[in-house]
Amino acid sequence: MDYLIKPYGGILQNLRVDEARASVLKAESQNFPSITLTQRQLCDLELLMNGAFSPLDGFMSHDAYESVLQDMCLTDGTLWSIPINLDVPDELAGKLQIGGSLGLNDAEGFMLAVLRIEAIWKPDKKREAEIVFGTNSMAHPGVRYLHEAVHDTYVGGKVEGIQLPAHYDFERLRDTPEELRRLFAKHGWRHVVAFNTSKPMHRLHRDITLRAAKEAQANILLHPAVGMTKPGDLHYYARVHCYQAIRQHYPHGLAMLSLLPMAVRMAGPREALLNAIVRQNYGCSHFIVGPEHAAPPDIRKGGARFYPRYAAQDLMAQHRDKLDIRMIPIQEMMYVPEDDDFLPSERIERTGKKGIQFTESDLYRHLADNLEIPAWYSFPDVIAQLRKVCPSRDRRGITLFFTGLSGAGKSTIAKILYAKFIEAGGRPVTLLDGDVVRKNLSNELGFSKEHRDINVKRIGFVASEITKNGGVAICAPIAPYATTRRSVRDQIEQHGAFIEIYVATPIEVCEARDRKGLYAKARKGRVKEFTGISDPYDVPEHPEIRLDASQLSPMQAAQEIFLYLLREGYLDAAGTLQNEQE
């Protein structure tokens, strides 16, 4: 494989130890603490262990972290654009010490690796956000994740890997860098152009990759990220079926599909550099970079993009001498009907031709409304796969998520809706009332912020499973915290519709209705952390539906929701929720 591009830094790391060492580590683990890794941490650990993050040999130390932030390089001067950190809860951090060890476990409790602790520190996350993402705006999903989901203590050190995270789906499409390099060698591929994406691929993407292959005289690696992806992205299993379909539209033997377990950070130019480094480690000689590579989806900052168009290409070009992998920059493209071809927008303007666009939003709107997709936009077999996971609105799984103060009327309205949908028939409907869930699913929880978050996230998980399977979940918790509601929305919108219903009944009306006397007890200090009195309620900024139950009867409020569902197409003309299997 000497004719393939060299790994970044010259050596492809493999952090997995042999069986004898693994047995020693497992025995030692009885005497040191462990952490259950998040989805992002699992992605990072896998890419560390399999060498995709070469030359890194573990989670970054404080010195390496500072060097990447300040100088965009490791401590030895090697170009590196984004910190790869392990964050831990403060409670666990208090038990750790430099020179000690930390077990790194998956969600089922299996120890995947051991971290030899070399550094423990509290980062300035505002500074990190400004440097890595170019902004500290909470409108940026990457910044929001950093501040809301990442713990305040980082731990760094070398990793000794025991086993890679387990994947039971699409096993034949998952390759380590070493495995993919062997596959390239087996097929005689000397030059390979990689295409990174977290979206389904259509005709434009096929044309882009084919043109790149011709320019580089290379084969094509379709290398989509299937780890933690962007808000609004389809779940990866749905995208993989689309990738498998479009691969059939390439010349035989030209393109290969492999899944990359990488967490998307949406860091724009800096992430483009990291993506290129990872693809070099996988054996690719060229890397396609689009005009808005790794930018947040359809999000604006003060009327402008978070990153200027072509900023990722500019940063890649600036550091071309430090990378062996070559960039293939792609201009913004539009479809030109008279040529039946995709052409660069600048060229279209110069020639006076008419170009048209069909955006991702247009695509999902057409799918939701069961409209025909333009033939020039995609392939029939790709659209067929998308229609399986994006059915029309009247056949789509839905979560109706009520939120509001105690006594606002959420439960009563939710029960009326539930009864009406059961009466009408169609898809299965489940009511997840806050009090009922606490009794049957969360009876061990109290009412601290932590426990309220856990309760709402449990409701969100159950609702996402119902929605994923085409059912209707009606949820009626208080759900006081905006961050938790947003997390539940992101989880559910991968699978179906999330409709937030804010029951905006004034607090004085809620107090007057309080049959349990909870508000009075809270004002006397006998009930602690009571929402609206001694604990805050974050008012939803952009709910799909806003109701004031002091101005509407419960039946009228339910009717308003019913009419919204009818207007938006979630109900058919007869006012029923269609079964997706019909």
Short mmCIF file of all heavy atoms in Angstrom, two decimals, residues 24 40 61 167 355:
data_model
loop_
_atom_site.label_atom_id
_atom_site.label_comp_id
_atom_site.label_asym_id
_atom_site.label_seq_id
_atom_site.Cartn_x
_atom_site.Cartn_y
_atom_site.Cartn_z
N VAL A 24 -5.58 -7.28 31.74
CA VAL A 24 -5.01 -6.53 32.87
C VAL A 24 -5.83 -5.28 33.14
O VAL A 24 -6.14 -4.96 34.29
CB VAL A 24 -3.54 -6.17 32.56
CG1 VAL A 24 -2.99 -5.22 33.63
CG2 VAL A 24 -2.69 -7.42 32.48
N ARG A 40 -21.48 11.81 21.28
CA ARG A 40 -20.33 12.49 20.69
C ARG A 40 -19.03 11.90 21.20
O ARG A 40 -18.07 11.69 20.43
CB ARG A 40 -20.36 14.00 20.97
CG ARG A 40 -19.10 14.69 20.48
CD ARG A 40 -19.10 16.18 20.71
NE ARG A 40 -19.98 16.85 19.76
CZ ARG A 40 -20.07 18.18 19.65
NH1 ARG A 40 -19.34 18.96 20.42
NH2 ARG A 40 -20.89 18.71 18.77
N SER A 61 -4.47 16.92 26.01
CA SER A 61 -4.04 17.51 27.27
C SER A 61 -4.37 19.00 27.26
O SER A 61 -4.76 19.56 26.22
CB SER A 61 -2.53 17.32 27.44
OG SER A 61 -1.83 18.08 26.45
N HIS A 167 -21.34 -1.82 16.54
CA HIS A 167 -22.36 -1.40 15.56
C HIS A 167 -22.97 -2.68 14.98
O HIS A 167 -22.24 -3.53 14.46
CB HIS A 167 -21.74 -0.56 14.45
CG HIS A 167 -21.09 0.70 14.92
ND1 HIS A 167 -21.81 1.78 15.37
CD2 HIS A 167 -19.77 1.04 15.02
CE1 HIS A 167 -20.97 2.75 15.71
NE2 HIS A 167 -19.73 2.32 15.53
N GLY A 355 -30.90 29.90 -14.26
CA GLY A 355 -30.68 28.76 -13.39
C GLY A 355 -31.77 28.65 -12.36
O GLY A 355 -32.34 29.66 -11.92
#
